[in-house]
Amino acid sequence: MTLLTTPPSPTDASPGAPAPAALARGLVKVYGRGSTEVRALDGADVTIPAGRLTAVMGPSGSGKSTLMHAMAGLDHVDEGSIRLGDTEVTALSERQRTLLRRERLGFVFQAFNLVPSLTAEENITLPLRLAGRSADRTWLAELVATLGLGDRLTHRPSELSGGQQQRVAVARALVTRPEIVFADEPTGNLDSRHGHALLAFLQRAARELGQTVVMVTHDPTAASFADRVVFLADGRVAGELTDPTVPTVLARMAGLEQPAPRAEV
Amino acid sequence: MWHLTLRDVVAHRARFALTLLAVVLAVTFVSGSLLLTDTSDHLLDEQFGTAAAGVDLTVRDAAVFGAAMGVEVDRDPLGPDVVDRVRSVEAVDQVMPVAEGQGLLEVDGEAVVPSGASVLTSWAPEPFGAFAVREGRAPAAAGEVVLDVATATAAGVGVGDTVAVLTDLRTDLEVVGLAGFGDADGLPGATIAMVTLDDAQRMLELGDGVSELRVTAADGASVPDVLAAVRQALGDDYDVATAQDTAAASADAAKEQLGSLGLVLTAMSAAAVLVGGLLIANTFAIVTSQRRRELALLRAAGATSGQVTRAVLGEAVLIGVLGGVLGAALGVLAAGGLRSVMAAFGLPLPEGVTVVSASSVVVSVVLGLVVTVVSAVGAARRAARVAPVEALRASVDLAGGRTSPSRARRALRGVPLALGLAGVAAVVAGAPVMVLVPAAVATVVGLALLGPVLMPSLARLVGAPLLRTGVTGHLARESAARAPRRTTSTAMALALGLALIAFMTVVATSLREGMTGTYRETVTADLVVESARAEMLGGLSTDVAHHVGELPEVAAMSRLRYGHWLDGGQTSALSAIDPATLAEVTDLDMVAGSLDALADGGVVVAASVAEERGLEVGDTVTMTFSYTGDQRLPVVGVLDSVDAQALSTGWFVSLDTYAAHFTEDLDASVFVRAADGVPADEVRAAVEGVLADHPTAAVRDQAAAAEARGATVDQVLGLVTVLLVLTVVIALLGITNTLALSVAERTREIGLLRAVGGTRRQIGAMVRSEAVLVAAIAGALGLALGVGLGAATVTALGRSAPLAIALPAGRLAVVLVVAVVAGLVAGLAPSRRAARMDVLQAIATH
Ligand SMILES: Nc1ncnc2c1ncn2[C@@H]1O[C@H](COP(=O)(O)OP(=O)(O)OP(=O)(O)O)[C@@H](O)[C@H]1O
Ligand SMILES: [Mg+2]
């Protein structure tokens, strides 16, 4: 597989340590009030390096999805700052955030990634069509070929397997050449063979294309495809791991899943 | 299962409310119509009952029938001897002679023209009359008048003012009092002027005759005994009846006038129920398909399919009863609204509080229940077929039952449509017009059945322009195309309303064109004088013809008048003409015999009548007149149908024959041919000049007179259209309802669109586009259906009457445009809801 196209250039290209694609500082997100108050994010500081596959891990309820939604401009935070390149996401209006998602971000969700009434191809080009732009045919052809979707383009989602659906979702996420692709448990519904293929693709997108990818996952194997893992616990970053392997990830996770003192009421 | 039903209803209040709304609207319309009929019946009974309250008997000249087509016949006046003969009957206490007729009120030189009658009557004190003086006093001397309070108030007249009353004479009168009718200020749509008996007799030119005697029985004498005694004293030449019977007969005549209105309301109610039913069925279908997983879980947990059916039907019962009750209650308001609509179209009903009858309420509630349950049966049966295993599947096909039917079933579904179209074709080819009714029903049913099969292609075809608006239009089109059953029933509901409007428009326009066209061809008069009011028999005094005929500017003048008669018990109408002069102002073609022969007392029939009845010149027909009873008249001629239609009826007698058999003495039209060389406006000015004392006589040139033929048709079309618009409103709420449910169903899809960069505006546009698309589909279907059936009807009717299809393209286009715009409006609420949907929640919804 060849991905010849030039990677999106990092905003600050100082050698060795490329500028981060996204920076989150002191994020606080509180749900509910009083006795039902939940601090989904409680002072999270996260740096997403450009051109890397970053995995976000943590126990259930630790705030992974909340963090991802906040960074992707899908949700507001109560405190803190999120910078995407030069843009301060928390300062954007609803409409600006929508345009940000359309122009500069890509998404892969765990399930229901596709619009059922559109064909695979129409789903892939959906963000472009929403923006009223036409697709870069070469790039599209390359994505389709790489993801092995060539003979499935005219099919509707209901006629695709789960793995194919997720690959269509990945193609859609990449079609605009976004600054960052966010994926929330993209392999959650796939068997390990299809899951691994997808992960391998994301990994290559980062390594060969310089595509920044942030992936939330529960699965240590999935995390081992990443260049770096950020661990979350109780809404805060509880550590990082570079060049993770399944055993190292497992060891870290075991430490995190000890009941945190703060969580006791 | 009941607690489950209840819990479900409570848990899904929003969609429950929408279903309820559909039921409420349909029932409201029906209930409003029923209550309106109740109310007008009750008020009319009360009105005439009040008038007769203190009287025991009435005596009038005998008539073979008292009223026809809601018009009471004129009777000969009673001579003074009759009064004496009645007085001499022992059991009679008092006799009050009353002279009554038409008298147009004029205030400050301006005619006061009510929508109903202009009554001039002699003052009858209590207990003989129901009017009681509220201010001033009763008329006691010549030149004094009492007006009803309502008229006086409206015209700004008070005691001491002078008004004029126009009969064939003009009489200036001083207002000495104002009177109320029982509790009311007056009678609906009428002006009442009450003068002394002498004045009334003089003004109405009755000599010493009177119209009616009102009789009270002596103390101790029973009404039936007095009735018998008076009858015996007077013999068969007089109509002696109890006051109650007379009042009831008058009330019945008044009700008959409103009868056609009742028919219109019933038809509209049926349409509303049909549209409502479609909507209810649709809502239940969507709701049930959204609940498939829940139902499957129930089944998996051990619920039998019967229990599932009962749970769905239980909800229908609950909604039906609640909707019925609410609809019945809202019907009271609707009745008021309908009454204003009627009044706006010149059909005022008596004033008074809306009467709420138990039977109407019960009918409304039961109707709500039955319609809802029947409409929910389909959904309940589908719900029962949900397999328990669906609970275990990862993804449930939310559109539900989208399985395409087999080839054979598809063919079977085409049968009703084929039958319907065959029926329409048969009618066009010559079958009787009534075949259209089942054919129309079959076509509608057929379309509803085939809709789900045809809809994907239809939606994509009609929605093709949406592609230009980009991906949102594309998605809207796909959404409509991919839920064919839902789109079909939503569109069908609207299509039905639009089809009815289109049908009425085509038929009415064709009728109007036919009427004005034949009139234009047949009537060659330069001017036509006719009453500007909508009296059924026309309302011109004979003076009009008299004055006009004397003008030097007028070369020829001919009169036309109408009368009712019974044709073997059926009310029919005839035209009376002057055979000597008619040819001067019309261009008539006789098929057989001659018009001149009418002078000897025969009858000429229209060719269509001759054909229908198998009549030829030389045959004899029996006609029953109110005044002279059964009469055998020879058929002396057959008139071309087109010409007959221009003169309004299919039966023609001479004015002399008319005078022999009718007491009525009013002309409907006076045709005028100008003298050679006199300019049109000069003749007109001359004619108008001599008609100064006849403010209701309208002078029209031939073209305007032809147009006036269409006025009634236009009025009915306007009224029916307004009522049908209510049906359309119900259908539009259906679009809102369906889209709201569809938006709820597509929560995750919308969330996804928003996540990948769809703006709120785009999401809103998507939903609105779908609303417009559904409305456009409905518009196309409705217009096709309505225009097709309308054209077939006109073709069929055109075989027996001169009638050609007229397609009012402009009006039909307006219907289509209004439908589409209304569809847009209907889509506003759901589109806002979709646009405001929280992205994260939408993504999180499973
Ligand atoms: N809309 C909400 N309202 C209230 N609380 C919420 C809401 N969304 C998330 N939370 C709470 O915030 C915390 C973090 O949730 P989040 O979904 O980010 O966790 P997560 O790490 O993604 O968990 P999982 O691995 O189960 O997906 C949880 O305690 C959750 O209950
Ligand atoms: Mg999560």
Side-chain angles (χ1 to χ4, degrees):
Chain A
M1 178 192 326
T2 45
L3 292 169
L4 304 166
T5 325
T6 350
S9 62
T11 37
D12 180 359
S14 56
L23 260 178
R25 287 292 172 264
L27 295 187
V28 174
K29 173 82 186 175
V30 184
Y31 287 113
R33 266 159 194 263
S35 60
T36 61
E37 184 180 288
V38 177
R39 297 182 76 83
L41 292 177
D42 192 9
D45 297 320
V46 182
T47 306
I48 304 296
R52 297 281 188 277
L53 172 55
T54 306
V56 180
M57 295 197 76
S60 192
S62 56
K64 303 184 293 292
S65 297
T66 309
L67 174 72
M68 197 194 91
H69 292 155
M71 297 191 71
L74 283 166
D75 201 4
H76 288 284
V77 288
D78 296 306
E79 277 172 40
S81 134
I82 299 162
R83 294 196 71 84
L84 238 136
D86 290 338
T87 314
E88 176 58 49
V89 176
T90 56
L92 297 182
S93 70
E94 155 70 31
R95 185 177 161 74
Q96 286 169 323
R97 285 192 284 132
T98 303
L99 298 184
L100 173 88
R101 293 198 294 271
R102 181 200 280 173
E103 313 283 344
R104 294 169 59 188
L105 304 177
F107 291 91
V108 183
F109 298 106
Q110 178 173 351
F112 204 84
N113 262 303
L114 308 178
V115 177
S117 55
L118 298 182
T119 62
E121 179 170 8
E122 288 165 344
N123 263 295
I124 294 173
T125 54
L126 184 59
L128 293 169
R129 285 158 48 102
L130 282 168
R133 285 194 283 143
S134 52
D136 173 346
R137 301 308 307 182
T138 7
W139 177 225
L140 182 63
E142 202 171 304
L143 276 175
V144 165
T146 313
L147 284 160
L149 290 168
D151 53 349
R152 290 283 179 275
L153 286 181
T154 57
H155 292 223
R156 310 231 179 226
S158 58
E159 297 155 346
L160 298 175
S161 74
Q164 287 164 339
Q165 289 185 20
Q166 288 306 82
R167 277 185 273 152
V168 171
V170 169
R172 183 198 60 214
L174 289 169
V175 77
T176 57
R177 303 171 197 253
E179 287 169 33
I180 307 181
V181 168
F182 289 99
D184 195 350
E185 304 192 36
T187 56
N189 279 346
L190 302 182
D191 62 25
S192 58
R193 190 167 67 88
H194 285 101
H196 285 186
L198 195 81
L199 290 163
F201 179 80
L202 288 177
Q203 188 181 52
R204 269 204 302 277
R207 292 194 180 151
E208 296 176 21
L209 269 176
Q211 174 68 55
T212 312
V213 182
V214 180
M215 170 179 75
V216 170
T217 182
H218 272 118
D219 175 9
T221 317
S224 69
F225 281 83
D227 299 306
R228 188 164 145 268
V229 183
V230 176
F231 292 95
L232 275 191
D234 299 321
R236 257 177 281 202
V237 173
E240 292 191 18
L241 197 61
T242 326
D243 295 328
T245 60
V246 177
T248 53
V249 171
L250 274 175
R252 276 297 182 87
M253 287 297 288
L256 286 177
E257 258 142 43
Q258 306 294 330
R262 197 182 67 84
E264 278 154 353
V265 186
Chain B
M1 284 264 118
W2 263 107
H3 73 282
L4 199 84
T5 301
L6 270 174
R7 239 195 21 227
D8 192 67
V9 164
V10 173
H12 303 278
R13 281 179 299 273
R15 83 171 184 223
F16 174 76
L18 287 171
T19 323
L20 190 64
L21 191 63
V23 184
V24 168
L25 283 173
V27 175
T28 299
F29 199 101
V30 174
S31 154
S33 305
L34 288 174
L35 291 180
L36 189 66
T37 315
D38 283 351
T39 303
S40 65
D41 282 359
H42 174 84
L43 290 175
L44 288 172
D45 281 339
E46 195 172 62
Q47 176 184 320
F48 288 97
T50 305
V55 186
D56 292 317
L57 300 182
T58 58
V59 179
R60 293 177 295 179
D61 191 50
V64 176
F65 54 92
M69 297 186 183
V71 181
E72 289 199 63
V73 300
D74 268 6
R75 297 170 196 245
D76 269 356
L78 305 170
D81 61 306
V82 183
V83 182
D84 294 339
R85 274 155 75 192
V86 174
R87 278 208 174 109
S88 66
V89 174
E90 204 156 308
V92 167
D93 180 28
Q94 291 187 64
V95 180
M96 172 58 61
V98 175
E100 196 168 293
Q102 280 206 33
L104 184 68
L105 184 67
E106 205 180 81
V107 175
D108 298 332
E110 289 283 328
V112 178
V113 182
S115 60
S118 295
V119 179
L120 170 67
T121 178
S122 62
W123 172 257
E126 285 185 282
F128 298 101
F131 277 96
V133 172
R134 296 243 187 105
E135 196 189 327
R137 58 173 173 81
E144 295 181 347
V145 68
V146 168
L147 299 178
D148 66 285
V149 174
T151 302
T153 313
V157 179
V159 172
D161 291 345
T162 300
V163 298
V165 171
L166 307 182
T167 50
D168 276 352
L169 314 164
R170 163 189 289 275
T171 312
D172 286 330
L173 299 161
E174 185 197 344
V175 179
V176 297
L178 304 179
F181 181 85
D183 293 334
D185 286 345
L187 296 177
T191 62
I192 320 284
M194 291 161 281
V195 296
T196 62
L197 181 60
D198 284 348
D199 266 357
Q201 285 172 328
R202 183 184 57 77
M203 292 162 74
L204 295 167
E205 295 173 291
L206 293 174
D208 52 4
V210 297
S211 320
E212 174 180 306
L213 302 183
R214 295 183 189 161
V215 179
T216 52
D219 279 350
S222 79
V223 173
D225 289 347
V226 190
L227 181 73
V230 174
R231 269 193 187 151
Q232 186 158 24
L234 293 179
D236 284 346
D237 290 344
Y238 300 95
D239 181 1
V240 185
T242 65
Q244 273 83 1
D245 286 349
T246 308
S250 301
D252 285 347
K255 285 179 205 167
E256 193 184 340
Q257 254 182 3
L258 295 174
S260 54
L261 205 72
L263 205 70
V264 169
L265 284 177
T266 311
M268 300 302 114
S269 300
V273 167
L274 202 62
V275 170
L278 268 172
L279 230 99
I280 298 163
N282 199 17
T283 314
F284 268 99
I286 301 173
V287 163
T288 311
S289 76
Q290 287 182 359
R291 283 170 67 193
R292 282 179 87 81
R293 187 193 286 272
E294 179 191 329
L295 293 171
L297 267 171
L298 275 175
R299 295 278 282 116
T304 65
S305 61
Q307 282 174 313
V308 169
T309 310
R310 282 195 294 280
V312 174
L313 286 183
E315 192 169 329
V317 168
L318 205 66
I319 291 176
V321 170
L322 205 61
V325 171
L326 284 175
L330 283 175
V332 179
L333 295 180
L338 284 174
R339 207 197 288 201
S340 325
V341 170
M342 303 289 158
F345 283 93
L347 299 164
L349 300 179
E351 279 151 46
V353 185
T354 300
V355 177
V356 181
S357 79
S359 67
S360 295
V361 172
V362 170
V363 167
S364 305
V365 174
V366 168
L367 189 81
L369 178 61
V370 170
V371 168
T372 314
V373 172
V374 168
S375 308
V377 163
R381 281 180 44 201
R382 269 198 298 282
R385 282 204 298 266
V386 172
V389 67
E390 288 190 37
L392 311 172
R393 283 194 199 140
S395 92
V396 176
D397 181 5
L398 283 170
R402 205 192 280 149
T403 47
S404 55
S406 69
R407 214 168 245 283
R409 288 193 58 179
R410 222 186 271 199
L412 213 61
R413 282 178 178 203
V415 170
L417 184 63
L419 283 178
L421 293 178
V424 174
V427 169
V428 171
V433 68
M434 287 317 285
V435 173
L436 266 183
V437 176
V441 171
T443 308
V444 170
V445 170
L447 279 177
L449 280 179
L450 271 187
V453 181
L454 304 176
M455 193 50 73
S457 330
L458 187 61
R460 293 201 173 100
L461 180 74
V462 177
L466 280 180
L467 289 184
R468 298 234 193 98
T469 67
V471 68
T472 54
H474 181 130
L475 285 169
R477 178 167 168 257
E478 285 305 306
S479 170
R482 289 171 63 80
R485 187 173 287 160
R486 183 171 70 201
T487 306
T488 303
S489 39
T490 312
M492 277 306 280
L494 181 56
L496 271 185
L498 296 176
L500 285 169
I501 291 181
F503 173 82
M504 289 302 301
T505 305
V506 168
V507 172
T509 310
S510 302
L511 279 177
R512 200 191 54 198
E513 294 294 302
M515 283 161 80
T516 56
T518 50
Y519 194 87
R520 226 176 267 128
E521 274 173 37
T522 304
V523 176
T524 57
D526 297 307
L527 292 177
V528 181
V529 185
E530 46 198 2
S531 174
R533 305 165 70 172
E535 292 109 336
M536 194 177 283
L537 296 180
L540 295 180
S541 147
T542 47
D543 274 5
V544 170
H546 186 72
H547 291 318
V548 170
E550 283 180 344
L551 287 169
E553 292 89 347
V554 170
M557 182 278 297
S558 194
R559 304 189 283 152
L560 170 69
R561 49 174 60 188
Y562 303 123
H564 288 137
W565 58 284
L566 294 190
D567 180 4
Q570 292 280 341
T571 305
S572 187
L574 58 72
S575 303
I577 51 144
D578 178 3
T581 54
L582 189 60
E584 306 252 10
V585 290
T586 54
D587 178 11
L588 300 180
D589 293 318
M590 294 299 289
V591 175
S594 83
L595 217 51
D596 296 337
L598 280 180
D600 300 328
V603 59
V604 164
V605 296
S608 54
V609 172
E611 191 180 326
E612 193 186 313
R613 305 272 296 249
L615 290 174
E616 290 174 15
V617 173
D619 290 349
T620 309
V621 289
T622 302
M623 304 174 81
T624 308
F625 301 107
S626 167
Y627 190 44
T628 55
D630 287 355
Q631 299 288 332
R632 292 172 60 74
L633 279 78
V635 175
V636 297
V638 176
L639 177 63
D640 178 72
S641 291
V642 174
D643 296 341
Q645 185 181 294
L647 300 176
S648 302
T649 75
W651 301 78
F652 299 86
V653 297
S654 71
L655 290 173
D656 292 338
T657 308
Y658 185 93
H661 299 299
F662 287 87
T663 321
E664 283 82 1
D665 195 18
L666 293 169
D667 290 326
S669 302
V670 172
F671 299 113
V672 174
R673 187 160 65 78
D676 286 345
V678 183
D681 46 343
E682 224 169 90
V683 193
R684 191 186 185 104
V687 170
E688 278 169 352
V690 294
L691 296 181
D693 269 353
H694 298 276
T696 60
V699 181
R700 296 172 176 147
D701 61 22
Q702 191 246 20
E707 281 310 310
R709 301 305 98 182
T712 325
V713 177
D714 277 344
Q715 187 195 29
V716 172
L717 177 63
L719 175 62
V720 169
T721 306
V722 165
L723 293 180
L724 283 172
V725 163
L726 298 178
T727 335
V728 169
V729 168
I730 300 183
L732 287 173
L733 276 162
I735 295 190
T736 307
N737 192 343
T738 308
L739 280 177
L741 290 168
S742 149
V743 164
E745 185 179 296
R746 288 187 293 157
T747 299
R748 285 194 300 178
E749 179 182 330
I750 292 168
L752 178 68
L753 284 169
R754 294 276 287 121
V756 300
T759 61
R760 289 193 163 161
R761 193 181 300 188
Q762 283 175 317
I763 302 297
M766 177 180 83
V767 177
R768 284 195 302 277
S769 304
E770 187 175 345
V772 168
L773 175 56
V774 171
I777 293 171
L781 277 178
L783 282 195
L785 204 60
V787 169
L789 290 175
T793 306
V794 172
T795 310
L797 291 176
R799 280 195 291 274
S800 55
L803 203 57
I805 298 170
L807 284 186
R811 274 190 194 214
L812 293 175
V814 167
V815 171
L816 189 62
V817 169
V818 168
V820 170
V821 171
L824 184 69
V825 174
L828 286 182
S831 90
R832 200 160 44 232
R833 201 174 140 196
R836 295 228 174 121
M837 200 178 273
D838 185 74
V839 188
L840 280 180
Q841 254 174 25
I843 295 172
T845 306
H846 287 289

